[in-house]
Amino acid sequence: MISFTLSLLALVIGYLIYGKCVEHVFKPDDRPTPAIAQADGVDYIAMPTWKIFMIQFLNIAGTGPIFGAIMGAWYGPAAYLWIVFGCIFAGAVHDYFSGMLSVRHHGEGLPELVGLYLGKRTRRVMLVFSVMLLLMVGVVFVYSPAIILGDIWGSKLTWIIVIFIYYIVATMMPIDKIIGKVYPLFAFSLLFMALALLVGLFVKMPELPEWWSNLSQSNMNENPAWLGESKFMEINPLFPCLFITIACGAISGFHATQSPLMARCLTSERHGRPIFYGAMITEGVVALVWASVSMYFFYDGGWREVVAPEVVNQFIAQVRDGHSLIEFFSAPAVVKQVCEGWLGIFGGILALLGVVAAPITSGDTAFRSARLIIAEFIHLDQRAIAKRLYICLPMFLAAIALLVWQMENPNGFNIIWQYFGWANQTLAVFTLWTVTVYLVQQHKPFYITLIPALFMTTVCATFLLVSPQAFGLSQQISYTGSAVVLIGALVWFFAWYQRQINQK
């Protein structure tokens, strides 16, 4: 528990100190925000700061800080380090600047911001890339809660139809009508669940892996999830897979598509740090809690409280035979077992809200972001509902086609999710480079985003090379190739930077 406690304190201190430094670099002022200057009663609507925070938190969270942290715990205490350092120095910085740049540029979405600083060609690429990513988010977050709800009552198809109808309504309606009223309740439920589990951890005080500890093969019978010597780690090496697996709890490009939604509702630039930087740190805390709960569940025998021993023995035997960990201790299963085992009936209800409501609320804002991104690109005002429908109709038809393909393909969900994971972090790369160029042009300390940009560029390049779903090259070749990409990125940046200096 020492590493967990230190990590928790580090996130809080990171918000108070580094968050303040990042805010100082941006220098918020008292200029009118888009919510005031461009109020339209649909997307540009001034809302209370506390409500914007709750909506922003739920928008960027979904099931990401839960499922990602659980899967990241398979890699052991390295998950702590990535959540802490990734969240403070990359993710929260990424979210803050993507939100505040939107505020400064009249509430514009990510593709428009990228176009301003990386050029028109990149803007067009980002338009297609962002919309495709958001459609994948919407489709994935229709399917996954429908599966869970279908096991409780009704059929999967019925719930898919119900959720999709809700998406259509929420995407078309003004942001304060459904999202502004319902999201704070769901966000509270997600935070309450994390807080209850946090208390549970300190009450139980389990022996968790520490930063400086190593788990050996001899511990595998007691720690069935430690797969350091198994097929799992061969297929999914810690670098780069940990940094793709834990996305929303550390850094996620999806957030840059969501921050402009709340940038259009902010009443003061000075509220940016608690809303954008603070929501990401809060998400990091949730991820840290779930990573720790999962490590207790996996490593310290916590599974004995809720899982029959014969199930675990079967798991150990089959994992040694090369079967996938996901088949036995999947993230939804761990959430359900832990919450019901620790928190009883009420915990089960919270688990349902966390696992079902969270992805649904991220899915509808994904479609909303896609509508606004397309509207900005074609310069179509969104005050009239007919003009919203003009964009939404083809968008939802494309989503339905993707959803049908996913349902008909036995492995469709996993395929979409894997591509989403890589695309998500690649989107973060574009955002970080955009902010870096902005900081250079504004004569501000650009290294605060240059270092994360270079790191995430290397992560995404390595994953593309090593992943069986992409090039599937050996680790040695992949790492060599990613080193070449890193050097190329450095050369490009400093050549561009030198031209900027010469032009002054």
Side-chain angles (χ1 to χ4, degrees), residues 320-368:
R320 285 173 172 169
D321 292 335
H323 287 249
S324 172
L325 176 65
I326 300 174
E327 297 175 21
F328 300 93
F329 282 128
S330 65
V334 172
V335 170
K336 183 176 183 296
Q337 291 165 357
V338 168
C339 285
E340 290 181 353
W342 285 23
L343 306 178
I345 296 176
F346 188 59
I349 295 173
L350 288 174
L352 183 66
L353 285 175
V355 178
V356 174
I360 291 175
T361 52
S362 289
D364 63 9
T365 52
F367 281 120
R368 189 180 195 91

Side-chain angles (χ1 to χ4, degrees), residues 316-450:
I316 294 172
Q318 296 198 35
V319 163
R320 285 173 172 169
D321 292 335
H323 287 249
S324 172
L325 176 65
I326 300 174
E327 297 175 21
F328 300 93
F329 282 128
S330 65
V334 172
V335 170
K336 183 176 183 296
Q337 291 165 357
V338 168
C339 285
E340 290 181 353
W342 285 23
L343 306 178
I345 296 176
F346 188 59
I349 295 173
L350 288 174
L352 183 66
L353 285 175
V355 178
V356 174
I360 291 175
T361 52
S362 289
D364 63 9
T365 52
F367 281 120
R368 189 180 195 91
S369 296
R371 169 175 68 80
L372 291 167
I373 286 172
I374 296 170
E376 287 176 350
F377 186 78
I378 63 177
H379 305 292
L380 185 67
D381 187 86
Q382 293 291 280
R383 287 184 176 87
I385 194 167
K387 293 183 178 180
R388 280 174 256 161
L389 187 62
Y390 179 81
I391 295 174
C392 287
L393 185 58
M395 182 176 69
F396 279 118
L397 288 175
I400 290 172
L402 189 59
L403 184 60
V404 170
W405 175 86
Q406 176 182 252
M407 294 174 64
E408 291 180 347
N409 190 316
N411 199 36
F413 177 83
N414 290 332
I415 292 173
I416 292 177
W417 184 262
Q418 289 162 355
Y419 281 110
F420 161 72
W422 174 81
N424 182 40
Q425 298 302 63
T426 301
L427 200 65
V429 170
F430 277 99
T431 305
L432 289 169
W433 281 114
T434 297
V435 177
T436 302
V437 171
Y438 160 79
L439 292 175
V440 170
Q441 293 180 351
Q442 296 296 315
H443 312 295
K444 296 179 177 182
F446 59 83
Y447 55 84
I448 63 173
T449 53
L450 174 63

Side-chain angles (χ1 to χ4, degrees), residues 217 220 225-235 319-320:
Q217 177 69 13
M220 191 168 180
W226 179 250
L227 303 177
E229 300 294 328
S230 74
K231 186 71 173 176
F232 175 79
M233 290 294 284
E234 294 177 15
I235 299 174
V319 163
R320 285 173 172 169

Side-chain angles (χ1 to χ4, degrees), residues 164-211:
F164 208 86
I165 291 173
Y166 163 74
Y167 279 1
I168 294 172
V169 174
T171 303
M172 298 284 291
M173 292 286 287
I175 197 168
D176 63 334
K177 300 302 181 187
I178 296 179
I179 294 174
K181 288 182 170 60
V182 178
Y183 273 38
L185 174 63
F186 289 149
F188 173 79
S189 300
L190 191 60
L191 288 170
F192 185 84
M193 179 171 64
L195 180 61
L197 293 174
L198 176 64
V199 172
L201 279 171
F202 280 108
V203 170
K204 295 176 182 293
M205 292 296 291
E207 293 289 333
L208 299 180
E210 305 291 356
W211 289 334

